[in-house]
Every structure is written in structure tokens, then in C-alpha cells.
Amino acid sequence: MHKSTSTIIFALFFTLTVLVLGYVMLGLLPMFLFAFGFLGGFILWLIIPTNVSFNTIKIPFFLTLVFFLLHKYEERKMNFFPRLSEITGVPVPETSSFLVYLLYAFALSWLLIPYLIKRKYNFGYYLAWTFFTAMGVTELAHFFLPFLTTKPYGYFPGMATVVILAPTAWWGLYRLSKKN
């Protein structure tokens, strides 16, 4: 499926905006981790042609979305951001700040995937690549972050749900890369 120059530029702008927001709000390490999902997804979207129907990715999409919500719940209950702040030295952002809402708006754009892909909009495929790559690759950082603490390797908030989240995202990546 041909990607217009304007769609590529918009997707790149979208990607860079998320990375800048990640840096401003959370620091260099989280921005680097965001890059795996957003920049990685952007690159995959550019190099792997896809025009699969939404039905092809529907089950992995909705499972990944449900597991992502469960993952966010675990992170919140287990104080992921304060623990991340201990590693980065960057204070936890105020939950009601404009930048936090803006970052949430970018993440909520993933809810547009069914609508956009059903209509074969290229930006929908970009969002799908970033969603599955972020959930399947970036979230694996929960297994790396304990190495950056002063404590012995052990549980890091979010780690428990990644074991179901990442494989469903890998399934989504596989289904997204299939030829129709």
C-alpha cells in the first residue's frame, strides 16, 4: 500500500512528539524506551508493506488492549513511576499536568486503529505498528529496569503483566505483517 509523503511526515511528527514528551516528562531513559515502540513501529511501518483487514488483527488487538489496561493498573498500584523516578532522578510528573494529558491523548490514539484500518488509512497501520511494537518490545524493559536499581534483581512494577502483554503484541505484529 502506497504511503503518501504527507502521511509519512505526519507519522514522523507524531513519533517525534511522543519522544519529546517522554523526555520532558520522564527523562532520557524513558524517552529511549519509548523510541523502541514509536520509532521502531514507525520504521516497521515504513519497511513492511501491509494492507491486512482489521479482522486479521482484531483478536490480538483487543487482547493486547485489555492486557495493556491490566498492565497500567499493575503499574499504578505497584508505584511504577516513583520506582522509575528513583532510577532516572526525574521527579514523577503531576498527574493533572497538561503534558501528561497530552501524552495520554497520543496513547489514546491507539483506540482509532479499528476505525482507521477498516477504512484502509495508512495512518491506522502506523498506529497499529507502534501499538504492537510498544507493547511487545518496549514493555520488556520491565525485566531490564531491576538491573538499574541498587537492590538485588527482583520484581519491578509492571513485570507480572508483561508476561501476557508482550506475547499478544508479538502475535499482533505477526498478523499485521501477513500478506492478504
Side-chain angles (χ1 to χ4, degrees), residues 37-111:
F38 281 89
L39 190 56
F42 175 76
I43 292 167
L44 290 172
W45 171 68
L46 285 177
I47 64 173
I48 301 174
T50 188
N51 65 346
V52 298
S53 69
F54 180 71
N55 282 337
T56 303
I57 64 165
K58 179 169 53 176
I59 294 171
F61 173 77
F62 285 117
L63 280 175
T64 303
L65 187 60
V66 167
F67 293 151
F68 176 56
L69 294 173
L70 182 63
H71 177 69
K72 294 311 290 177
Y73 179 78
E74 178 193 3
E75 283 185 340
R76 183 160 196 215
K77 286 298 180 187
M78 302 307 288
N79 297 313
F80 171 76
F81 285 103
R83 290 286 307 278
L84 181 64
S85 180
E86 291 172 11
I87 294 170
T88 64
V90 176
V92 176
E94 291 293 324
T95 56
S96 60
S97 75
F98 171 74
L99 292 178
V100 168
Y101 288 132
L102 188 57
L103 189 59
Y104 284 144
F106 278 89
L108 286 173
S109 67
W110 287 330
L111 296 176

Side-chain angles (χ1 to χ4, degrees), residues 8 16 19 25 33 35 37 47 49-51 55 96 116 123 129 131 135 151 168 176:
I8 292 170
L16 295 175
L19 297 182
M25 292 172 37
L33 296 174
I47 64 173
T50 188
N51 65 346
N55 282 337
S96 60
L116 294 172
F123 193 72
W129 280 109
F131 177 64
M135 300 303 108
K151 300 172 183 156
T168 57
L176 191 58

Side-chain angles (χ1 to χ4, degrees), residues 14-36:
F14 190 97
T15 297
L16 295 175
T17 301
V18 169
L19 297 182
V20 167
L21 282 171
Y23 174 72
V24 169
M25 292 172 37
L26 301 169
L28 187 60
L29 176 64
M31 184 213 66
F32 179 69
L33 296 174
F34 283 6
F36 280 106

Side-chain angles (χ1 to χ4, degrees), residues 135-149:
M135 300 303 108
V137 178
T138 302
E139 293 299 343
L140 294 174
H142 287 277
F143 295 105
F144 169 74
L145 292 172
F147 289 113
L148 302 179
T149 68

